Amino acid sequence: GQQLNQSPQSMFIQEGEDVSMNCTSSSIFNTWLWYKQEPGEGPVLLIALYKAGELTSNGRLTAQFGITRKDSFLNISASIPSDVGIYFCAGPGNKLVFGAGTILRVKS
Amino acid sequence: DAGVTQSPTHLIKTRGQQVTLRCSPKSGHDTVSWYQQALGQGPQFIFQYYEEEERQRGNFPDRFSGHQFPNYSSELNVNALLLGDSALYLCASSLLGADTQYFGPGTRLTVL
């Protein structure tokens, strides 16, 4: 079955720093989704990507659909304390497959 | 506009018991998917319902079953509970064929 490898596993950064995380798939995806999950909550959709090479922003968040269609990247600029949570990549469609998540901690 | 709602929030059961979890989709959505999220892991797809029928299923045993009602709400049933069934159960709704799914807050199931 499809597998997603997400890295890094966790990050502990200083407030104001930029953050980068990525996700790779064992197979080609037609859609990449990025979710954020906070304690006690369900995942919240941040960004959806539909085309290879696509670069999409949502505020301080920017995500890219890799040109090989087997990877995706998420960047967060100028991190703030409320960015804390677990970030998941997912794809490719109705039967979503999720990565294991990147735990983000921000030190203020 | 109400988002996806789930009930109950928390549930404690003992091994061998049966449990039913409920989900109401986001207004306008007709498709409901269920996921199991074990501690420290990403959600895993259980199954998806559309027009009151199971359309797709993940790698879960027959002890996991579901139902969708005419108003698009859905139930997840788990029989003969095992300790390993302890997890956060997430419901997600979407329009049929849409890639983006919207998740509810989940039901935390603990099996003792």
Side-chain angles (χ1 to χ4, degrees):
Chain A
Q2 293 164 332
Q3 293 185 2
L4 293 184
N5 293 311
Q6 195 170 346
S7 65
Q9 191 172 7
S10 65
M11 305 178 76
F12 191 13
I13 62 169
Q14 188 74 37
E15 182 178 358
E17 287 184 358
D18 295 344
V19 172
S20 291
M21 60 190 78
N22 67 79
C23 198
T24 59
S25 168
S26 58
S27 57
I28 289 174
F29 277 15
N30 292 320
T31 305
W32 279 100
L33 306 172
W34 284 92
Y35 286 88
K36 177 188 178 186
Q37 187 175 28
E38 298 184 29
E41 304 285 334
V44 173
L45 182 65
L46 300 173
I47 294 178
L49 302 162
Y50 301 104
K51 198 187 304 184
E54 179 182 354
L55 192 70
T56 298
S57 293
N58 178 6
R60 293 178 295 105
L61 277 63
T62 302
Q64 184 164 22
F65 194 140
I67 57 173
T68 66
R69 296 170 63 193
K70 288 188 173 184
D71 55 7
S72 181
F73 309 89
L74 176 69
N75 296 312
I76 304 173
S77 62
S79 58
I80 59 178
S82 63
D83 289 333
V84 165
I86 306 176
Y87 291 79
F88 291 100
C89 58
N94 282 331
K95 190 174 165 179
L96 285 178
V97 176
F98 281 80
T102 293
I103 300 170
L104 179 62
R105 298 184 181 92
V106 179
K107 186 166 50 175
S108 55
Chain B
D1 177 22
V4 180
T5 60
Q6 292 186 243
S7 64
T9 306
H10 296 88
L11 205 51
I12 299 175
K13 292 286 188 178
T14 56
R15 279 179 299 175
Q17 285 189 311
Q18 177 264 344
V19 69
T20 297
L21 311 180
R22 296 175 176 82
C23 171
S24 290
K26 185 177 166 64
S27 178
H29 284 180
D30 55 11
T31 302
V32 173
S33 303
W34 287 92
Y35 293 80
Q36 180 195 65
Q37 186 177 23
L39 204 59
Q41 297 182 22
Q44 286 203 310
F45 177 80
I46 302 174
F47 43 51
Q48 183 181 81
Y49 275 84
Y50 171 72
E51 289 192 338
E52 303 179 49
E53 290 192 1
E54 184 181 296
R55 293 186 66 244
Q56 295 191 77
R57 189 177 184 93
N59 189 25
F60 280 80
D62 291 344
R63 297 188 297 111
F64 290 77
S65 63
H67 189 77
Q68 186 179 33
F69 299 93
N71 67 353
Y72 307 118
S73 67
S74 177
E75 288 182 349
L76 164 66
N77 301 294
V78 187
N79 294 323
L81 284 167
L82 304 174
L83 295 180
D85 294 331
S86 295
L88 181 68
Y89 287 85
L90 295 162
C91 168
S93 76
S94 61
L95 289 171
L96 181 68
D99 292 325
T100 51
Q101 297 183 21
Y102 296 86
F103 285 81
T107 293
R108 172 71 62 188
L109 173 65
T110 302
V111 182
L112 302 176

